[in-house]
Amino acid sequence: MLRVSKLTDYATEVMAALAAAPARVHSAQELTERVRLELPTVSKLLKQLASAGLIESFRGVNGGYRLARAPERISIADIVIAMEGPIGMTECSAQAGSCDHESHCGVRVNWQRINQAIAGALAGVSLADMIKPSPRRRAASIPLRVVGA
Amino acid sequence: MLRVSKLTDYATEVMAALAAAPARVHSAQELTERVRLELPTVSKLLKQLASAGLIESFRGVNGGYRLARAPERISIADIVIAMEGPIGMTECSAQAGSCDHESHCGVRVNWQRINQAIAGALAGVSLADMIKPSPRRRAASIPLRVVGA
DNA sequence: CCTAAAGTGTACCAAATCGGTACTGATTAG
DNA sequence: CTAATCAGTACCGATTTGGTACACTTTAGG
């Protein structure tokens, strides 16, 4: 199945939890209780999200994490990229030289277009969208139809 | 990196090779030479593509494989699904009951929307599109818009 | 019929990835 | 100075992935 890693999945849950109270600083411990995961796991992904600049960290007593931007300005693409690196559906479509088929592979360029389509789909959903219970509203703005079918 | 498996990648190359001469029957051996992979590997994915109904197989001497439909009527989504199963970016968004967070996870429904957007992006590119050298033409209709970054 | 060309099915193995854990260090409020 | 809390590193086990091996079936053609 084409899917993101569990860590990425968890990351969206944690980000959603942070987005529920964007102004407050949440400790890793508190977030752990919200998403029902082990502390080291939550800790690890929080660190990753922080180094990607999606959340701010505060050390020391009463420290914790807080969204770096408004939930409307953080997209699922941001989270996926923070956790898994650049979106590239195939090795060679992400960086050149990584695949020795390049010379005779006619589909590479087209995979790059697909990457962009998928990045667009992920970028079109914000964290604010994710915490809305109803899939109505901005849902319609997700680009669905692409080319042919 | 969010990506499809190598086998899926190879499968698109093999399908592209088949699409280059849709009427002819190609042996696995011949396709192996085109995509520069090992025969058992090509053989394995051809079998999988055949059982998904994307290609037809012919046994015996002068046997081989042929596209089951016109290249315009086979999408990248078809190939990805044939190789990796249903598109579901998270465990729980594909089938219910597979995740014990369901009760307190507010983002599940929204992942389902994202799945559909991605499936749409993949369904929108046909095999015929993939073998076109120029990324021009209908390319412009792929939604590109990005939110934050 | 017999043989060779070709696909089918099953099983298996090594390497990479992934998810998780442990432990130690650094920072800061009180 | 102490406790709370984030940061960094290292490691481990399980799963997945990619690849290989081998025995079986089907079919065209002599």
Side-chain angles (χ1 to χ4, degrees):
Chain A
M1 178 167 53
L2 174 64
R3 61 182 187 88
V4 297
S5 74
K6 277 192 192 177
L7 268 316
T8 303
D9 186 5
Y10 297 160
T12 61
E13 288 191 53
V14 168
M15 290 293 278
L18 285 170
R24 222 178 75 234
V25 170
H26 309 246
S27 74
Q29 179 60 49
E30 180 198 334
L31 293 168
T32 295
E33 286 156 16
R34 290 261 292 179
V35 299
R36 313 277 175 83
L37 296 169
E38 299 308 312
L39 179 56
T41 301
V42 172
S43 200
K44 179 192 274 187
L45 58 90
L46 281 168
K47 197 179 4 171
Q48 222 167 325
L49 291 167
S51 70
L54 299 184
I55 60 180
E56 291 174 311
S57 67
F58 302 92
R59 301 177 69 151
V61 179
N62 298 328
Y65 296 90
R66 189 176 61 185
L67 291 188
R69 306 196 292 271
E72 291 77 16
R73 297 187 47 238
I74 298 177
S75 75
I76 298 302
D78 292 329
I79 299 174
V80 171
I81 290 170
M83 300 302 296
E84 315 202 354
I87 292 170
M89 295 292 283
T90 58
E91 290 298 335
C92 58
S93 64
Q95 73 249 29
S98 61
C99 167
D100 51 347
H101 294 181
E102 293 194 8
S103 52
H104 60 278
C105 168
V107 305
R108 198 170 57 265
V109 175
N110 292 290
W111 269 117
Q112 289 172 356
R113 297 200 292 122
I114 295 172
N115 288 345
Q116 294 188 330
I118 295 201
L122 293 178
V125 182
S126 74
L127 200 51
D129 291 327
M130 289 301 269
I131 61 177
K132 295 204 176 71
S134 155
R136 217 148 308 239
R137 232 199 52 120
R138 317 194 98 198
S141 73
I142 291 188
L144 249 176
R145 202 189 85 90
V146 188
V147 244
Chain B
M1 178 167 55
L2 174 64
R3 62 184 187 88
V4 298
S5 75
K6 277 192 193 177
L7 267 316
T8 303
D9 186 4
Y10 297 160
T12 61
E13 289 192 51
V14 168
M15 290 293 278
L18 286 170
R24 222 179 74 234
V25 170
H26 307 245
S27 74
Q29 179 62 47
E30 180 199 334
L31 294 167
T32 294
E33 285 155 18
R34 290 261 291 179
V35 299
R36 313 276 175 84
L37 296 170
E38 300 307 313
L39 178 57
T41 302
V42 172
S43 199
K44 181 193 270 186
L45 59 89
L46 281 168
K47 199 179 0 174
Q48 221 167 326
L49 291 167
S51 69
L54 299 184
I55 59 182
E56 292 174 311
S57 67
F58 302 92
R59 303 178 67 153
V61 179
N62 300 326
Y65 297 91
R66 190 176 60 186
L67 291 187
R69 306 195 293 270
E72 291 77 18
R73 296 187 48 235
I74 298 177
S75 73
I76 298 302
D78 291 329
I79 299 174
V80 170
I81 290 169
M83 299 302 295
E84 316 202 355
I87 292 170
M89 295 292 284
T90 58
E91 288 300 335
C92 58
S93 63
Q95 72 250 31
S98 59
C99 167
D100 50 347
H101 294 181
E102 292 194 9
S103 52
H104 59 279
C105 168
V107 304
R108 197 168 59 264
V109 175
N110 292 291
W111 270 117
Q112 289 171 355
R113 296 200 294 121
I114 294 171
N115 288 345
Q116 294 189 329
I118 296 207
L122 294 178
V125 181
S126 75
L127 200 51
D129 291 326
M130 288 301 267
I131 61 177
K132 293 204 176 72
S134 157
R136 216 150 307 242
R137 231 195 53 122
R138 322 193 98 195
S141 70
I142 292 187
L144 248 175
R145 192 187 90 88
V146 174
V147 187

